[in-house]
Amino acid sequence: MTRPPAWRFSAARTRYCPACLAENAGRGPVFWRLPWAFACPTHRRLLLDFCPNCRRPPHPWTARRLGPRATGVCTRDSLTSPKGHTGRRPCGADLSQAPALRLPETGLVLPAQQ
């Protein structure tokens, strides 16, 4: 049986909870990569899809050729470069400081995710 691409970990967009990133030195659980994960049960916040600075989805936090990516910051290439700078540089926004919507205690969002 073949599964649709959304069920593969490689196809899932990385979402994040700023409070989790702040508490865990910029690291988060693999749970965020699941396509049906949309809220943090620990902090009762909606998971964020985009960087508040560059407004693009953050790259997954994986190792790369030059070593591991920085944790808890947006590693997307910056859309703006300083004058005379030709190389790529990351956006670098601190994702643990991004504003996230807090869910009500008696809401239906977290039970729907479970």
Side-chain angles (χ1 to χ4, degrees), residues 39-88:
C40 173
T42 306
H43 299 102
R44 301 190 64 81
R45 297 178 192 267
L46 285 179
L47 297 179
L48 300 178
D49 289 307
F50 297 95
C51 167
N53 186 39
C54 68
R55 302 192 192 291
R56 294 184 296 163
H59 275 175
W61 294 278
T62 57
R64 60 188 176 115
R65 179 174 58 88
L66 300 173
R69 297 182 186 273
T71 57
V73 298
C74 180
T75 56
R76 285 292 225 177
D77 290 338
S78 179
L79 295 175
T80 59
S81 296
K83 264 190 173 174
H85 189 271
T86 56
R88 293 182 182 173

Short mmCIF file of all heavy atoms in Angstrom, two decimals, residues 39-88:
data_model
loop_
_atom_site.label_atom_id
_atom_site.label_comp_id
_atom_site.label_asym_id
_atom_site.label_seq_id
_atom_site.Cartn_x
_atom_site.Cartn_y
_atom_site.Cartn_z
N ALA A 39 -0.70 21.75 17.35
CA ALA A 39 -0.73 22.44 18.64
C ALA A 39 0.24 21.76 19.61
O ALA A 39 0.48 20.56 19.53
CB ALA A 39 -2.14 22.42 19.23
N CYS A 40 0.80 22.56 20.51
CA CYS A 40 1.71 22.04 21.53
C CYS A 40 0.89 21.68 22.77
O CYS A 40 0.31 22.57 23.40
CB CYS A 40 2.77 23.09 21.88
SG CYS A 40 3.81 22.61 23.28
N PRO A 41 0.84 20.40 23.14
CA PRO A 41 0.05 20.01 24.32
C PRO A 41 0.69 20.48 25.63
O PRO A 41 -0.01 20.68 26.61
CB PRO A 41 0.01 18.49 24.24
CG PRO A 41 1.15 18.10 23.37
CD PRO A 41 1.42 19.25 22.46
N THR A 42 1.99 20.70 25.65
CA THR A 42 2.68 21.14 26.86
C THR A 42 2.37 22.60 27.20
O THR A 42 2.06 22.92 28.34
CB THR A 42 4.20 20.97 26.70
OG1 THR A 42 4.48 19.63 26.32
CG2 THR A 42 4.94 21.32 27.98
N HIS A 43 2.45 23.47 26.20
CA HIS A 43 2.28 24.90 26.43
C HIS A 43 0.94 25.44 25.94
O HIS A 43 0.68 26.64 26.05
CB HIS A 43 3.43 25.67 25.75
CG HIS A 43 4.75 25.29 26.30
ND1 HIS A 43 5.62 24.44 25.65
CD2 HIS A 43 5.34 25.62 27.47
CE1 HIS A 43 6.69 24.28 26.38
NE2 HIS A 43 6.55 24.97 27.50
N ARG A 44 0.11 24.57 25.40
CA ARG A 44 -1.22 24.94 24.91
C ARG A 44 -1.15 26.11 23.93
O ARG A 44 -1.83 27.11 24.08
CB ARG A 44 -2.16 25.27 26.08
CG ARG A 44 -2.34 24.13 27.06
CD ARG A 44 -3.44 24.39 28.05
NE ARG A 44 -4.74 24.48 27.42
CZ ARG A 44 -5.52 23.45 27.06
NH1 ARG A 44 -5.09 22.24 27.27
NH2 ARG A 44 -6.68 23.65 26.50
N ARG A 45 -0.28 25.98 22.94
CA ARG A 45 -0.13 27.00 21.91
C ARG A 45 -0.22 26.35 20.53
O ARG A 45 0.16 25.20 20.36
CB ARG A 45 1.22 27.71 22.02
CG ARG A 45 1.38 28.46 23.31
CD ARG A 45 2.74 29.09 23.38
NE ARG A 45 3.02 29.58 24.71
CZ ARG A 45 2.78 30.81 25.11
NH1 ARG A 45 2.25 31.68 24.30
NH2 ARG A 45 3.06 31.18 26.34
N LEU A 46 -0.72 27.12 19.56
CA LEU A 46 -0.70 26.64 18.19
C LEU A 46 0.75 26.62 17.71
O LEU A 46 1.53 27.53 18.02
CB LEU A 46 -1.51 27.56 17.27
CG LEU A 46 -3.03 27.43 17.38
CD1 LEU A 46 -3.69 28.41 16.42
CD2 LEU A 46 -3.49 26.02 17.07
N LEU A 47 1.12 25.57 16.99
CA LEU A 47 2.46 25.51 16.42
C LEU A 47 2.56 26.51 15.28
O LEU A 47 1.60 26.70 14.52
CB LEU A 47 2.76 24.10 15.91
CG LEU A 47 2.79 23.00 16.97
CD1 LEU A 47 3.07 21.65 16.32
CD2 LEU A 47 3.82 23.29 18.05
N LEU A 48 3.70 27.14 15.15
CA LEU A 48 3.91 28.13 14.10
C LEU A 48 4.50 27.47 12.86
O LEU A 48 5.30 26.55 12.96
CB LEU A 48 4.84 29.23 14.61
CG LEU A 48 4.32 30.00 15.83
CD1 LEU A 48 5.35 31.03 16.27
CD2 LEU A 48 3.00 30.66 15.52
N ASP A 49 4.12 27.97 11.70
CA ASP A 49 4.59 27.45 10.41
C ASP A 49 5.67 28.31 9.78
O ASP A 49 6.38 27.84 8.91
CB ASP A 49 3.43 27.40 9.41
CG ASP A 49 2.43 26.33 9.71
OD1 ASP A 49 2.83 25.17 9.86
OD2 ASP A 49 1.24 26.67 9.80
N PHE A 50 5.74 29.57 10.17
CA PHE A 50 6.60 30.52 9.47
C PHE A 50 7.48 31.29 10.44
O PHE A 50 7.12 31.50 11.60
CB PHE A 50 5.75 31.51 8.68
CG PHE A 50 4.94 30.86 7.60
CD1 PHE A 50 3.64 30.49 7.82
CD2 PHE A 50 5.49 30.60 6.36
CE1 PHE A 50 2.88 29.86 6.85
CE2 PHE A 50 4.77 29.97 5.38
CZ PHE A 50 3.46 29.60 5.61
N CYS A 51 8.61 31.75 9.95
CA CYS A 51 9.50 32.62 10.70
C CYS A 51 8.86 34.00 10.76
O CYS A 51 8.39 34.50 9.73
CB CYS A 51 10.86 32.68 9.99
SG CYS A 51 11.94 33.99 10.59
N PRO A 52 8.83 34.66 11.92
CA PRO A 52 8.22 35.98 12.00
C PRO A 52 9.05 37.06 11.28
O PRO A 52 8.53 38.11 10.94
CB PRO A 52 8.15 36.27 13.49
CG PRO A 52 9.22 35.41 14.08
CD PRO A 52 9.31 34.19 13.21
N ASN A 53 10.32 36.79 11.01
CA ASN A 53 11.19 37.77 10.38
C ASN A 53 11.13 37.69 8.84
O ASN A 53 10.79 38.65 8.18
CB ASN A 53 12.63 37.57 10.86
CG ASN A 53 13.56 38.64 10.36
OD1 ASN A 53 13.19 39.81 10.30
ND2 ASN A 53 14.76 38.25 10.01
N CYS A 54 11.44 36.52 8.27
CA CYS A 54 11.47 36.38 6.81
C CYS A 54 10.14 35.88 6.25
O CYS A 54 9.96 35.81 5.04
CB CYS A 54 12.63 35.50 6.36
SG CYS A 54 12.48 33.76 6.83
N ARG A 55 9.23 35.47 7.12
CA ARG A 55 7.89 35.00 6.75
C ARG A 55 7.91 33.79 5.80
O ARG A 55 7.06 33.65 4.94
CB ARG A 55 7.07 36.13 6.14
CG ARG A 55 6.91 37.30 7.06
CD ARG A 55 5.88 38.27 6.56
NE ARG A 55 5.87 39.53 7.25
CZ ARG A 55 5.51 39.74 8.49
NH1 ARG A 55 5.13 38.74 9.23
NH2 ARG A 55 5.53 40.95 9.01
N ARG A 56 8.91 32.92 6.01
CA ARG A 56 9.00 31.68 5.23
C ARG A 56 9.08 30.51 6.21
O ARG A 56 9.49 30.68 7.36
CB ARG A 56 10.23 31.70 4.33
CG ARG A 56 10.10 32.77 3.25
CD ARG A 56 11.25 32.74 2.30
NE ARG A 56 12.48 33.07 3.00
CZ ARG A 56 13.69 32.82 2.53
NH1 ARG A 56 13.85 32.24 1.38
NH2 ARG A 56 14.76 33.15 3.22
N PRO A 57 8.70 29.30 5.76
CA PRO A 57 8.80 28.15 6.66
C PRO A 57 10.26 27.88 7.02
O PRO A 57 11.12 27.94 6.14
CB PRO A 57 8.24 26.98 5.85
CG PRO A 57 7.62 27.57 4.65
CD PRO A 57 8.14 28.95 4.47
N PRO A 58 10.56 27.62 8.29
CA PRO A 58 11.95 27.31 8.65
C PRO A 58 12.36 25.96 8.08
O PRO A 58 11.53 25.08 7.88
CB PRO A 58 11.95 27.30 10.17
CG PRO A 58 10.54 27.07 10.55
CD PRO A 58 9.68 27.60 9.44
N HIS A 59 13.65 25.82 7.81
CA HIS A 59 14.17 24.53 7.36
C HIS A 59 14.11 23.54 8.51
O HIS A 59 14.23 23.94 9.68
CB HIS A 59 15.63 24.66 6.94
CG HIS A 59 15.79 25.12 5.53
ND1 HIS A 59 17.00 25.39 4.99
CD2 HIS A 59 14.90 25.33 4.54
CE1 HIS A 59 16.86 25.76 3.74
NE2 HIS A 59 15.59 25.73 3.45
N PRO A 60 14.00 22.27 8.21
CA PRO A 60 14.09 21.27 9.28
C PRO A 60 15.46 21.36 9.95
O PRO A 60 16.44 21.69 9.31
CB PRO A 60 13.93 19.94 8.55
CG PRO A 60 13.26 20.29 7.28
CD PRO A 60 13.71 21.68 6.93
N TRP A 61 15.49 21.08 11.24
CA TRP A 61 16.74 21.16 11.98
C TRP A 61 17.49 19.85 11.81
O TRP A 61 17.35 18.93 12.59
CB TRP A 61 16.45 21.45 13.44
CG TRP A 61 15.87 22.80 13.61
CD1 TRP A 61 16.57 23.97 13.66
CD2 TRP A 61 14.49 23.16 13.73
NE1 TRP A 61 15.71 25.02 13.80
CE2 TRP A 61 14.43 24.56 13.84
CE3 TRP A 61 13.30 22.44 13.72
CZ2 TRP A 61 13.24 25.25 13.97
CZ3 TRP A 61 12.13 23.13 13.85
CH2 TRP A 61 12.10 24.52 13.98
N THR A 62 18.30 19.78 10.75
CA THR A 62 19.07 18.58 10.47
C THR A 62 20.52 18.97 10.24
O THR A 62 20.86 20.13 10.03
CB THR A 62 18.55 17.86 9.22
OG1 THR A 62 18.59 18.78 8.12
CG2 THR A 62 17.14 17.37 9.40
N ALA A 63 21.39 17.97 10.24
CA ALA A 63 22.81 18.21 9.98
C ALA A 63 23.00 18.56 8.51
O ALA A 63 22.19 18.22 7.66
CB ALA A 63 23.61 16.97 10.34
N ARG A 64 24.07 19.25 8.22
CA ARG A 64 24.38 19.61 6.85
C ARG A 64 25.87 19.41 6.62
O ARG A 64 26.60 19.08 7.54
CB ARG A 64 23.94 21.04 6.55
CG ARG A 64 24.61 22.06 7.42
CD ARG A 64 24.00 23.43 7.22
NE ARG A 64 24.63 24.34 8.16
CZ ARG A 64 25.39 25.35 7.82
NH1 ARG A 64 25.60 25.63 6.57
NH2 ARG A 64 25.94 26.11 8.74
N ARG A 65 26.32 19.65 5.43
CA ARG A 65 27.70 19.42 5.05
C ARG A 65 28.69 20.20 5.92
O ARG A 65 29.74 19.71 6.27
CB ARG A 65 27.87 19.80 3.57
CG ARG A 65 29.25 19.64 3.04
CD ARG A 65 29.29 19.90 1.54
NE ARG A 65 28.83 21.20 1.14
CZ ARG A 65 29.58 22.30 1.07
NH1 ARG A 65 30.85 22.23 1.38
NH2 ARG A 65 29.07 23.45 0.68
N LEU A 66 28.35 21.40 6.31
CA LEU A 66 29.25 22.25 7.09
C LEU A 66 29.07 22.09 8.60
O LEU A 66 29.60 22.87 9.37
CB LEU A 66 29.04 23.71 6.70
CG LEU A 66 29.30 24.03 5.23
CD1 LEU A 66 28.90 25.46 4.92
CD2 LEU A 66 30.75 23.77 4.87
N GLY A 67 28.32 21.09 9.02
CA GLY A 67 28.07 20.89 10.44
C GLY A 67 26.61 21.13 10.76
O GLY A 67 25.83 21.49 9.88
N PRO A 68 26.23 20.95 12.02
CA PRO A 68 24.82 21.13 12.38
C PRO A 68 24.39 22.59 12.23
O PRO A 68 25.18 23.50 12.38
CB PRO A 68 24.76 20.67 13.83
CG PRO A 68 26.14 20.69 14.31
CD PRO A 68 27.05 20.56 13.14
N ARG A 69 23.13 22.76 11.93
CA ARG A 69 22.55 24.10 11.84
C ARG A 69 22.41 24.67 13.25
O ARG A 69 22.36 23.94 14.23
CB ARG A 69 21.17 24.04 11.19
CG ARG A 69 21.21 23.55 9.77
CD ARG A 69 19.79 23.58 9.20
NE ARG A 69 19.74 22.98 7.89
CZ ARG A 69 19.97 23.65 6.76
NH1 ARG A 69 20.29 24.92 6.80
NH2 ARG A 69 19.91 23.03 5.60
N ALA A 70 22.31 25.96 13.33
CA ALA A 70 22.08 26.60 14.63
C ALA A 70 20.72 26.16 15.16
O ALA A 70 19.79 25.96 14.39
CB ALA A 70 22.12 28.12 14.47
N THR A 71 20.60 26.01 16.46
CA THR A 71 19.34 25.57 17.04
C THR A 71 18.50 26.76 17.47
O THR A 71 19.02 27.73 18.00
CB THR A 71 19.58 24.65 18.25
OG1 THR A 71 20.38 25.35 19.19
CG2 THR A 71 20.26 23.37 17.84
N GLY A 72 17.22 26.67 17.21
CA GLY A 72 16.28 27.68 17.66
C GLY A 72 16.26 28.96 16.86
O GLY A 72 15.61 29.91 17.24
N VAL A 73 16.98 29.01 15.74
CA VAL A 73 16.97 30.20 14.89
C VAL A 73 16.58 29.80 13.48
O VAL A 73 16.75 28.66 13.07
CB VAL A 73 18.33 30.93 14.88
CG1 VAL A 73 18.70 31.44 16.25
CG2 VAL A 73 19.41 30.06 14.32
N CYS A 74 16.06 30.75 12.72
CA CYS A 74 15.68 30.50 11.34
C CYS A 74 16.94 30.35 10.50
O CYS A 74 17.82 31.22 10.52
CB CYS A 74 14.82 31.65 10.82
SG CYS A 74 14.29 31.41 9.10
N THR A 75 17.05 29.26 9.78
CA THR A 75 18.23 29.00 8.96
C THR A 75 17.96 29.20 7.47
O THR A 75 18.77 28.82 6.64
CB THR A 75 18.75 27.57 9.20
OG1 THR A 75 17.69 26.66 8.95
CG2 THR A 75 19.24 27.40 10.62
N ARG A 76 16.83 29.79 7.14
CA ARG A 76 16.54 30.11 5.74
C ARG A 76 17.52 31.16 5.26
O ARG A 76 17.96 32.01 6.02
CB ARG A 76 15.14 30.67 5.59
CG ARG A 76 14.06 29.66 5.70
CD ARG A 76 14.10 28.75 4.53
NE ARG A 76 12.77 28.55 4.01
CZ ARG A 76 12.52 27.84 2.94
NH1 ARG A 76 13.49 27.33 2.26
NH2 ARG A 76 11.32 27.67 2.54
N ASP A 77 17.84 31.13 3.98
CA ASP A 77 18.69 32.18 3.42
C ASP A 77 17.97 33.51 3.53
O ASP A 77 16.78 33.61 3.27
CB ASP A 77 19.00 31.89 1.95
CG ASP A 77 19.94 30.71 1.79
OD1 ASP A 77 20.65 30.39 2.75
OD2 ASP A 77 19.95 30.12 0.70
N SER A 78 18.71 34.52 3.93
CA SER A 78 18.14 35.85 4.08
C SER A 78 17.75 36.40 2.71
O SER A 78 18.44 36.19 1.72
CB SER A 78 19.16 36.78 4.73
OG SER A 78 18.62 38.06 4.85
N LEU A 79 16.62 37.08 2.66
CA LEU A 79 16.17 37.67 1.41
C LEU A 79 16.92 38.97 1.12
O LEU A 79 16.97 39.43 -0.01
CB LEU A 79 14.66 37.94 1.47
CG LEU A 79 13.80 36.70 1.56
CD1 LEU A 79 12.33 37.09 1.74
CD2 LEU A 79 13.95 35.82 0.33
N THR A 80 17.49 39.56 2.16
CA THR A 80 18.25 40.79 1.97
C THR A 80 19.69 40.56 2.40
O THR A 80 19.95 39.90 3.40
CB THR A 80 17.66 41.93 2.81
OG1 THR A 80 17.67 41.55 4.18
CG2 THR A 80 16.24 42.24 2.38
N SER A 81 20.63 41.06 1.64
CA SER A 81 22.04 40.95 1.96
C SER A 81 22.63 42.34 2.06
O SER A 81 22.19 43.25 1.37
CB SER A 81 22.79 40.16 0.88
OG SER A 81 22.33 38.85 0.82
N PRO A 82 23.65 42.52 2.89
CA PRO A 82 24.27 43.83 2.96
C PRO A 82 24.93 44.18 1.63
O PRO A 82 25.25 43.30 0.84
CB PRO A 82 25.31 43.69 4.07
CG PRO A 82 25.25 42.31 4.57
CD PRO A 82 24.20 41.57 3.82
N LYS A 83 25.12 45.47 1.38
CA LYS A 83 25.74 45.91 0.14
C LYS A 83 27.09 45.24 -0.06
O LYS A 83 27.90 45.19 0.84
CB LYS A 83 25.93 47.42 0.15
CG LYS A 83 24.85 48.18 -0.52
CD LYS A 83 25.25 49.62 -0.66
CE LYS A 83 24.21 50.31 -1.51
NZ LYS A 83 24.44 51.74 -1.57
N GLY A 84 27.31 44.74 -1.26
CA GLY A 84 28.59 44.12 -1.60
C GLY A 84 28.72 42.68 -1.12
O GLY A 84 29.71 42.03 -1.39
N HIS A 85 27.73 42.15 -0.41
CA HIS A 85 27.80 40.77 0.09
C HIS A 85 27.17 39.85 -0.93
O HIS A 85 26.01 40.01 -1.28
CB HIS A 85 27.05 40.68 1.43
CG HIS A 85 27.24 39.37 2.12
ND1 HIS A 85 26.42 38.31 1.89
CD2 HIS A 85 28.16 38.97 3.02
CE1 HIS A 85 26.83 37.29 2.64
NE2 HIS A 85 27.89 37.67 3.32
N THR A 86 27.95 38.91 -1.45
CA THR A 86 27.44 38.03 -2.49
C THR A 86 27.08 36.64 -1.96
O THR A 86 26.33 35.93 -2.58
CB THR A 86 28.47 37.87 -3.63
OG1 THR A 86 29.69 37.41 -3.07
CG2 THR A 86 28.69 39.21 -4.33
N GLY A 87 27.64 36.24 -0.82
CA GLY A 87 27.35 34.91 -0.28
C GLY A 87 26.01 34.87 0.42
O GLY A 87 25.41 35.89 0.73
N ARG A 88 25.54 33.67 0.66
CA ARG A 88 24.28 33.51 1.37
C ARG A 88 24.52 33.57 2.86
O ARG A 88 25.53 33.12 3.36
CB ARG A 88 23.66 32.15 1.03
CG ARG A 88 23.23 32.06 -0.38
CD ARG A 88 22.60 30.71 -0.62
NE ARG A 88 22.22 30.58 -2.00
CZ ARG A 88 21.78 29.48 -2.53
NH1 ARG A 88 21.67 28.40 -1.80
NH2 ARG A 88 21.44 29.44 -3.79
#
